[in-house]
């Protein structure tokens, strides 16, 4: 269990006068942005995720206030008036469907609701449509530098009033005249589209109507006043809304690894399931649950990592839904240069335009944790297409379609079928199957009779040209078998891009309308093209101009899209006939499609832009100012508002820290090396190494160092490595600087020993050759310092001299071997499969070969492998990220809670810590525990608990923060109130409270802190829900159960405690639902191969403990399955989960005994409790656990326990079983004598019968155990006594009788009946001829003659004659000790005893009273 701990105070060292710098904002400013995505949740909060080039993601949350767009989640409805609906017809509810019914409304899906605008049929537009592209305004405004000038312009009244029409009307030819009707009664609520048809039918046309390309009956009305059409849609530029920022950095996600070459290159948000899909350029695909930004699934785009993989950059995600909570994800990669390309001179190497693909099925987990969110790779690593990754799209409309633009600019389509996993398993490794094998999943071709349209043919939109006769046919490729993916034949659909200047940057496509026509958009840096397919392929350009690069184009619905650039433009697609009327059909030679620019705003230069379907009226922009600060803006366009409020620019967040990495008068943290818990080294940009400890890092607001290196280097210390001289044992620090230098310091004093500058690029890795490696020759006792370009500097660790410098190669080093025939050579194997042999003496390469040949040489012997990844062992409790880069990752340590608690608990136990202890290890251990606890606790929830923690436990408010570590990423949370720490998610709450309770349990080993620790544990376990309130996220019980399996014993105990508290907290409905979700995965219901799986054992854990606590809520079938599963694990000797079964037996035996063979379960526990064979001893150490379970069952179900016990003693299946049971009896006598006390007569009878002399083998096997049992019984219970010489055993019963046994014959001799109440003790005289019995309740002592007599031979089974007639005792002696006789059974075992001072004198001790009798 890893706990991320972030210490921001040490991120920089600065003067007191310098402004404080936020680590998070510094991280945002310094790192280059690689991806940017935004979304809006149901609670109205807007969120953005900003991915960096080094593998970190910052998640922002914004709360919009006073935004005119009150319903921004509603999809915009851009529609033209319907010819079939009269103007007075009432408006129906706007449709939010992605496909509009054209049988009820206009033939155009952009029909405008006439009831809303009440237009007149006499409106006229007498002009033609210009073929010139609309040019966006070029007046960019920097809202940071010129708000005053902009406000003055907007306040000026020198310009005439402009109306809504000025803003949305497209460009017309000069001389246009617009006839207008009187102003409508109500203002328009939606933008009016030009050339929209009126409510009057256009079937009959008046000859006197103005002749133009626009029908007079299809012109809109506008407010009164003579208007001149502007050359382009009006640029709305209201003043910048500089309200106080309400945006905050909610979380910081650190991906693993976190360094160059692992940028978060693409992100997609799935609104339905609240998941963020992140693709790193290195091929890591991850899914994050955005409730807490934790990584819930991860997968690799390639099955094996190879050198060639580094030449591909995974940069695009395509995604379509497959079913309920199942998504198909296509990851695309382009040929690229690896991070080391420029270093090794590979940056200019040419590469082709192919794209590499892989496909994944994302299955979203359930809320109960039964099924985890997971990726399943569907395709193999060999899938490539001939075309750029930016030109690939994945569509789904009942079937899957792969659409892409190939390298020759042709549109290509392929069928795509996903084969079920069970079918693949059934076929095994069978050869590829043809498409005919899956006719049931065949996909119809939606691109039938596809044509092509070039950019030049936009002027002739009424003419469709079939390009099939103009191009050479592209050969089709046979169906491919790519794992579970089946691809159909490639089908060419025509040329999409004919202009050589059009460099494709991206495409998007969708099925539109009920007729399922496909419409797509392709764009370059500056141009956009539309492609449409109904019966043929139509392509035309979109009128768009902008100075900036097009960053994205998104469909808002079937007929509207938004273009993201320096200007943000909204377009609608309109179909018209030759008379410019809205078309009623979707095909025909006279039907053309127009892209009409509805509105545009100037957003200014931005690093990244993001539009989301969940908030279609907002475009979020990430900008970087001249000062280096970054800010996030929202550009809002709401077509339902008046012109004055239609557009808003609002700043949501701006970083307050400068982006420069240098701090005036200070230094920035550049590297961290945790050596021990109290010895952490920090390397800074001023060239100094500083030593501190974990408590100082976590608890201090000010910067405090124990030591500082004696000499500062002129450059930053980028990395540090711990090395050791294996001859002297002294340890050193080897550091690399940003100028290519190497420096060595002593670890203890931080004194600089040597410094070299051998490299051009910084040090990357360090390997050490030990002195004991004689095969290494001249390299013995040296350090191999490998730079980023592969150059190796060989440095002697004895004299700190640089011995050799081995040149680099064209790829990174993978392996180094030293030795050879004369121990004078080194073999260097590189990542690209090449190898070279270096001769140490002349200092040159003598041979170049391949990796295979080099491995053959090594296998011949005489070589040692020099590991590049193994270094001197540092702290096992704390570690750093793999390739930490950036302030947040550098300032975060990963604490292994299991190892930390194991180390500290051993120190606490061994030293017997008390607060007054003065031993140094004890104080250091307490400081470490207090430091970690200070970060985990959330002060401010309860003043009383805060007082206990600060004044008694010694904690203090910490400036550090705690995060959540998952499989592939670590999330750091940022909040300003302690309540927020418990309002993130159930999983995060469980993780944090588990860490708190675990640390407190360890801290409670100090006796003086035990009670206060328990008080704090109780508060955090039971009272948080009341203190935090409705926002409290109760700990996830499934997560706690998982930690019980995965953690060490220190954490397991805490997890079990919290799990028990969690299931008690669940309501009845929640408990039933929880069990219903898990019970189908119980072991007894699984096939043999799955019975031992993690899911099955976890199901038994959660269902078993839930049943033990709330069995009345569960059905009989559920309880039966749980009981069978427990028995299954218990009886399986090879099961790794017998410990779980034993614990559940002890917890709910009274429940399970009704559904399974209870005696068989008890016998299994007996065996486990007493088994001492070496082959049965496992790492689980289940023997003590089984003995505790037996004790608990014996206490709660004594009758069944004793019955089983006696039956197994009398009638065992094997001698080993009888011996084991008798060992268990001895154990019970020592641990729980009161359980056996009422059943002593039955137990002793069984023991005696086991010694039957007629069964010699049986008697010999159990003799030792029986003797041990009798000895323990006599020593423990006063009512049983044994005389060694005569082999007589006397056993008292609760009815007052005493039974006499002869152990030589294993028979019962007779019964002495003299007491009327329960006896308290008995004893034999030294010669064995008298038996004295005593009853405290009667206050009487009875003396019996028990020696052998002559009459015994004639009356066997009868007691000896007592000297008078009848069965009365030989003597009856009364006594009275008053209140001392009033005692419990436990008291009699302790305070009543006999002793014989003489042959016929007995002394009775009752508490403090002593009575002497003559026998």
């Amino acid at each position: 269990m890893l706990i991320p701990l972030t210490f921001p105070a040490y991120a920089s060292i600065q003067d007191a006068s310098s402004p404080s710098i936020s680590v998070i904002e510094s991280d945002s400013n310094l790192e280059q942005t690689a991806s940017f995505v935004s979304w809006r949740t149901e609670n109205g909060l807007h969120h953005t995720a900003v991915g960096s080039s080094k593998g970190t993601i910052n998640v922002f949350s914004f709360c919009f206030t006073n935004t005119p767009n009150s319903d921004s989640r509603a999809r915009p409805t851009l529609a033209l008036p319907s010819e079939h609906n009269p103007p007075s017809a009432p408006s129906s509810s706007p449709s939010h469907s992605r496909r509009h019914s054209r049988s009820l409304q206009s033939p155009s899906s952009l029909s405008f609701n006439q009831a809303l605008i009440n237009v007149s049929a006499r409106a006229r537009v007498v002009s033609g449509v210009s073929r010139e592209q609309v040019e966006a305004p070029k007046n960019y405004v920097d809202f940071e530098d010129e708000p005053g000038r902009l406000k003055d312009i907007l306040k000026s009244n020198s310009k005439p009033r402009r109306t809504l029409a000025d803003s949305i009307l497209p460009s017309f030819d000069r001389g246009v005249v617009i006839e207008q009707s009187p102003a409508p009664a109500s203002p328009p609520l939606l933008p009016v589209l030009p050339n929209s048809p009126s409510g009057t039918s256009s079937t009959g046309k008046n000859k006197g109507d103005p002749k133009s390309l626009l029908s007079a009956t299809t012109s809109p009305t506008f407010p009164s006043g003579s208007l001149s059409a502007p050359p382009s849609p009006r640029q709305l530029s209201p003043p910048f809304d500089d309200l106080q920022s309400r945006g905050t950095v909610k979380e910081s996600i650190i991906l693993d690894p976190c360094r160059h070459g692992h940028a978060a290159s693409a992100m997609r948000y799935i609104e339905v399931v609240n998941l963020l899909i992140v693709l790193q350029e290195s091929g890591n695909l991850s899914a994050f649950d955005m409730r807490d930004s934790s990584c819930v699934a991860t997968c690799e785009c390639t099955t094996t990592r190879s050198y060639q993989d580094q030449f591909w950059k995974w940069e695009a995600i395509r995604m379509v839904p497959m079913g309920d909570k199942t998504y198909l994800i296509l990851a695309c990669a382009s040929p690229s240069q690896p991070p080391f390309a420029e270093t090794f001179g590979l940056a200019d190497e040419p590469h082709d335009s192919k794209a590499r693909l892989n496909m994944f099925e994302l299955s979203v987990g359930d809320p109960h944790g039964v099924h985890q969110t997971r990726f399943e790779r569907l395709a193999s690593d060999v899938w490539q297409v001939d075309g750029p990754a930016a030109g690939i799209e994945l569509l789904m409309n009942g079937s899957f379609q792969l659409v892409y633009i190939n390298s020759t600019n042709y549109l290509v389509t392929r069928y795509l079928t996903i084969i079920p996993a069970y079918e693949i398993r059934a076929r095994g490794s069978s050869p590829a199957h043809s498409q005919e094998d899956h006719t049931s999943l065949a996909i119809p071709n939606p691109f039938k009779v596809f044509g092509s349209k070039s950019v030049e043919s936009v002027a002739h939109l009424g003419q469709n040209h079939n390009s099939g006769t103009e191009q050479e046919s592209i050969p089709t490729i046979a169906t491919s078998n790519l794992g579970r993916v089946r691809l159909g034949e490639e089908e060419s659909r025509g040329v999409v891009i004919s202009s050589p200047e059009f460099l494709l940057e991206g495409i998007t496509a969708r099925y539109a309308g009920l007729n399922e026509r496909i419409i797509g958009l392709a764009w370059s840096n500056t141009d956009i093209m539309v492609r449409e397919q109904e019966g043929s392929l139509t392509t035309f350009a979109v009128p768009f101009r902008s100075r900036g690069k097009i960053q994205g184009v998104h469909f808002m619905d079937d007929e509207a899209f938004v273009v993201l650039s320096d200007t943000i433009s909204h377009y609608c697609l309109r179909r018209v006939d030759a008379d410019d009327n809205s078309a009623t059909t979707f095909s025909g030679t006279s039907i053309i499609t127009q892209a009409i620019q509805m509105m545009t705003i100037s957003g200014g230069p931005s690093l990244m832009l993001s539009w989301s379907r969940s908030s279609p009226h907002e475009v979020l922009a990430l900008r970087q100012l001249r000062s280096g600060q970054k800010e996030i803006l929202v550009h809002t366009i709401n077509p339902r508002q008046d012109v004055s409020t239609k557009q808003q620019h609002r700043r949501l967040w701006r970083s307050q820290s400068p982006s420069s990495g240098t701090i005036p008068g200070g230094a920035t943290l550049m590297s961290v090396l945790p050596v021990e818990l109290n010895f952490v080294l920090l390397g800074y940009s001023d060239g100094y190494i500083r030593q501190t400890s974990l408590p100082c890092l976590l608890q201090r607001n000010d910067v405090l160092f124990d030591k500082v290196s004696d000499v500062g280097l002129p450059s930053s210390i980028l990395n540090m490595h711990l090395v050791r001289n294996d001859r002297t044992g002294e340890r050193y620090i080897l550091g690399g600087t940003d100028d290519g230098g190497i420096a060595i310091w002593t670890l203890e004093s931080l004194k600089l020993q040597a410094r070299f500058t051998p490299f051009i690029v910084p040090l990357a890795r360090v390997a050490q050759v030990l002195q004991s490696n004689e095969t290494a020759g001249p390299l013995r006792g040296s350090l191999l310092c490998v730079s980023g370009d592969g150059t190796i500097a060989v440095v002697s660790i004895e004299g700190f001299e640089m011995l050799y410098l081995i040149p680099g190669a064209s790829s990174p080093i993978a392996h180094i071997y030293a030795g050879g025939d004369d121990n004078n050579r080194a073999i260097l194997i590189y990542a690209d499969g090449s190898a070279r042999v270096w001769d140490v003496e002349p200092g040159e390469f003598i041979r170049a070969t391949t990796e295979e040949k080099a491995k053959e040489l090594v296998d011949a012997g005489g070589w040692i492998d020099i590991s590049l990844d193994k270094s001197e062992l540092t702290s096992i409790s704390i570690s750093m990220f793999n390739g930490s880069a950036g302030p947040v990752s550098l300032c975060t340590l990963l604490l292994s809670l299991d190892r930390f608690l194991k180390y500290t608990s051993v120190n606490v136990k061994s030293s017997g810590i008390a607060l007054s202890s003065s031993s140094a290890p004890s104080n250091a251990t307490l400081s470490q525990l207090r430091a970690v606890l200070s970060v985990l606790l959330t002060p401010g929830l309860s003043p009383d608990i805060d007082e206990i923690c600060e004044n008694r436990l010694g904690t203090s408010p910490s400036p550090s923060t705690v995060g959540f570590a998952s499989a592939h990423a670590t999330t750091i949370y940022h909040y300003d109130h302690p309540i927020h720490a418990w309002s993130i998610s159930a999983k995060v709450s469980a993780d944090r409270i588990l860490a708190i309770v675990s640390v407190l349990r360890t801290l409670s080993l100090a006796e003086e802190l035990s009670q206060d620790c328990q008080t704090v544990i109780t508060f955090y376990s039971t009272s948080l829900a009341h203190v935090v309130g409705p926002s409290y996220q109760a700990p996830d019980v499934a997560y706690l159960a998982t930690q019980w399996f995965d953690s060490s014993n220190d954490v397991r105990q805490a997890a079990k405690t919290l799990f028990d508290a969690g299931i008690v907290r669940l309501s009845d409905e929640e408990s039933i639902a929880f069990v219903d979700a898990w019970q189908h995965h119980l072991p007894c219901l699984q096939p043999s191969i799955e019975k031992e799986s993690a899911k099955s054992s976890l199901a038994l854990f959660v269902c078993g403990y839930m049943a033990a606590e709330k069995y009345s809520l569960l059905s009989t079938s559920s309880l039966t399955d749980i009981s069978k599963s427990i028995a299954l694990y218990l009886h399986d000797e090879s099961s790794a989960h017998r410990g779980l079964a034993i614990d559940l037996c002890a917890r709910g035996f009274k429940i399970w005994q009704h559904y399974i063979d209870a005696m068989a379960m008890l016998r299994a526990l007996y065996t486990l409790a007493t088994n001492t064979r070496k082959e049965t001893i496992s790492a689980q150490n289940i023997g003590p656990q089984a003995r505790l379970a037996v004790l608990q069952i014996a206490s709660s179900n004594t009758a069944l326990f004793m019955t089983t016990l006696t039956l197994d003693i009398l009638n065992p299946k094997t001698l080993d079983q009888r011996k084991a049971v008798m060992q268990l009896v001895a154990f019970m006598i020592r641990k729980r004598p009161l359980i056996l006390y009422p059943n002593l007569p039955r137990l002793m009878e069984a023991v005696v019968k086991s010694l039957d002399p007629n069964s010699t083998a049986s008697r010999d096997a159990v003799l030792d155990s029986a003797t041990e049992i009798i000895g323990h019984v006599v020593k423990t219970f006063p009512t049983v006594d044994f005389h060694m010489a005569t082999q007589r055993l006397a056993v008292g019963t609760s009815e007052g009788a005493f039974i006499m046994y002869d152990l030589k014959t294993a028979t019962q001799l007779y019964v002495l009946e003299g007491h009327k109440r329960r006896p308290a003790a008995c004893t034999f005289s030294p010669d064995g001829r008298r038996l004295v019995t005593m009853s405290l309740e009667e206050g009487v002592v009875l003396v019996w003659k028990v020696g052998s007599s002559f009459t015994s031979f004639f009356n066997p089974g009868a007691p000896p004659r007592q000297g008078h007639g009848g069965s009365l005792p030989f003597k009856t002696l009364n006594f009275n000790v008053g209140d001392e006789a009033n005692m419990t059974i436990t008291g009699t075992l302790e305070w009543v005893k006999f002793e014989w001072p003489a042959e016929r004198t007995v002394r009775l001790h009752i508490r403090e009273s002593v009575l002497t009798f003559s026998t």
Side-chain angles (χ1 to χ4, degrees), residues 991-1294:
D991 189 72
R992 186 163 193 157
I993 197 172
L994 178 58
I996 290 175
V997 174
S998 300
V999 175
L1000 283 169
R1001 284 173 58 91
T1002 303
L1003 193 61
S1004 66
L1005 296 177
E1007 295 182 2
E1008 297 182 26
L1009 302 176
S1010 177
Q1011 184 175 355
D1012 294 323
C1013 287
Q1014 190 59 48
T1015 301
V1016 179
I1017 290 175
T1018 304
F1019 171 77
Y1020 278 95
S1021 302
T1022 61
S1023 303
L1024 282 179
H1026 174 72
V1027 174
V1028 175
S1031 63
Y1032 176 63
Q1033 295 290 327
D1036 185 353
V1037 291
Y1039 177 82
L1040 293 171
T1042 303
Q1043 291 301 317
W1044 186 88
F1045 282 94
D1046 298 340
S1047 303
S1048 65
N1049 188 61
D1050 294 312
V1051 180
R1052 288 183 67 174
Q1053 297 300 323
K1056 185 61 172 59
T1057 300
L1058 293 171
F1059 179 86
D1060 291 340
I1063 61 176
V1064 170
R1065 184 184 60 252
L1066 294 177
S1067 65
D1068 291 350
E1069 293 77 11
E1070 292 172 333
S1071 302
I1072 294 173
F1074 192 68
V1075 173
D1076 288 344
W1078 278 98
Q1079 66 178 356
H1080 304 292
H1081 301 276
L1082 287 168
C1084 70
L1085 303 177
Q1086 307 307 310
S1088 299
I1089 195 173
E1090 296 290 334
K1091 293 183 186 298
E1092 288 288 317
S1093 66
K1095 180 176 289 187
S1096 296
S1097 57
L1098 189 59
L1100 179 58
F1101 182 94
V1102 297
C1103 294
Y1105 287 110
M1106 184 72 76
E1109 186 67 33
K1110 302 180 177 182
Y1111 67 92
S1112 61
L1113 300 177
L1114 274 62
S1115 64
T1116 301
S1117 61
S1118 298
L1119 293 172
T1120 302
D1121 291 339
I1122 295 171
S1123 303
K1124 289 181 178 178
S1125 298
I1126 296 172
L1128 178 68
Y1129 279 167
L1130 191 64
H1131 295 295
D1132 186 0
E1133 294 184 1
S1134 62
S1135 175
H1137 305 294
R1138 299 183 90 178
L1140 171 62
I1142 292 171
D1143 197 44
L1144 286 172
C1145 286
R1147 184 74 173 267
F1149 184 82
K1150 284 188 174 181
I1151 302 169
W1152 324 135
Q1153 67 177 350
H1154 300 293
Y1155 304 98
I1156 56 173
D1157 187 347
M1159 284 190 173
M1161 181 176 284
L1162 274 175
R1163 291 186 177 107
L1165 289 175
Y1166 294 165
T1167 303
L1168 293 174
T1170 59
N1171 208 332
T1172 58
R1173 291 181 299 170
K1174 291 184 179 180
E1175 61 270 18
T1176 62
I1177 298 176
S1178 64
Q1180 301 179 64
N1181 194 21
I1182 58 177
Q1185 188 179 359
R1187 288 191 284 271
L1188 291 177
V1190 168
L1191 291 177
Q1192 190 166 343
I1193 294 172
S1195 301
S1196 60
N1197 203 327
T1198 305
L1200 178 62
F1201 173 79
M1202 292 304 305
T1203 300
T1204 307
L1205 199 66
T1206 53
L1207 285 175
D1208 285 355
I1209 294 176
L1210 295 175
N1211 303 299
K1213 293 183 179 179
T1214 63
L1215 293 179
D1216 289 339
Q1217 181 182 357
R1218 172 179 282 176
K1219 184 177 180 180
V1221 172
M1222 297 186 74
Q1223 290 176 352
L1224 181 64
V1225 172
F1227 169 76
M1228 292 291 299
I1229 294 171
R1230 292 195 304 269
K1231 298 296 183 181
R1232 300 287 175 85
L1234 291 182
I1235 295 176
L1236 299 179
Y1237 185 83
N1239 300 278
L1240 270 179
R1242 292 176 56 193
L1243 176 63
M1244 298 313 297
E1245 180 182 11
V1247 172
V1248 170
K1249 290 183 177 180
S1250 68
L1251 297 174
D1252 187 358
N1254 296 321
S1255 177
T1256 306
S1258 175
R1259 181 183 177 97
D1260 293 342
V1262 301
L1263 182 60
D1264 292 339
S1265 299
T1267 303
E1268 182 183 4
I1269 290 175
I1270 293 173
H1272 283 299
V1273 168
V1274 172
K1275 183 178 179 180
T1276 305
F1277 300 100
T1279 56
V1280 180
D1281 198 17
F1282 174 70
H1283 191 263
M1284 179 68 67
T1286 60
Q1287 292 289 294
R1288 299 291 178 90
L1289 178 68
V1291 180
T1293 67
S1294 57

Side-chain angles (χ1 to χ4, degrees), residues 663-737:
I663 301 173
T668 304
L669 181 65
M670 304 300 293
S671 58
V672 180
L673 179 64
V675 180
E676 298 173 358
L677 290 173
N678 282 333
F679 201 114
V680 181
L681 298 176
L682 308 177
Y684 284 87
S685 59
D686 60 358
Y688 283 94
I689 292 180
R690 295 169 171 87
Q691 176 194 334
T692 186
S693 62
L694 182 67
C696 289
L697 284 176
L698 300 181
Q699 285 186 292
R700 296 189 65 88
N701 288 291
D702 56 336
V703 178
L704 178 64
F705 299 108
D706 298 329
K707 293 178 185 177
V708 180
S709 58
D710 59 340
V711 178
L713 303 182
S715 50
S716 302
I717 301 175
L718 296 184
N719 50 64
M720 292 182 290
H721 307 267
L722 186 63
V723 296
R724 183 175 63 89
N725 187 328
D726 60 326
R727 187 182 63 84
T728 63
E730 190 172 358
R731 294 188 293 177
Y732 301 92
I733 307 160
L734 191 148
T737 58

Side-chain angles (χ1 to χ4, degrees), residues 162-169 188 190-192 222-223 641 643 646:
R162 303 175 74 87
T163 65
L164 177 64
D166 299 323
S167 305
I168 64 174
L169 199 62
L190 291 175
V192 183
F222 301 97
Q641 298 295 324
V643 174
K646 180 170 293 185

Side-chain angles (χ1 to χ4, degrees), residues 218 433 597 630 634 665 742 842 1014 1039 1190 1303:
T218 62
H433 303 277
Q597 192 175 37
K630 288 182 181 178
V634 60
I742 299 173
Q1014 190 59 48
Y1039 177 82
V1190 168
L1303 297 189

Side-chain angles (χ1 to χ4, degrees), residues 106 147 201 218-219 231 234 285 825 855 883 922 1012 1029 1073 1242 1255 1415:
S106 167
S201 174
T218 62
S219 301
R234 182 185 175 193
L285 184 66
R825 294 178 182 178
K855 289 292 182 65
S922 303
D1012 294 323
R1242 292 176 56 193
S1255 177
T1415 61

Side-chain angles (χ1 to χ4, degrees), residues 459-478:
H460 308 282
L461 296 179
Q463 305 175 15
N464 290 325
H465 302 279
N466 192 332
S467 62
T469 61
E470 301 175 4
Q471 65 173 25
E472 295 183 1
S473 175
I474 298 179
T476 58
I477 301 175

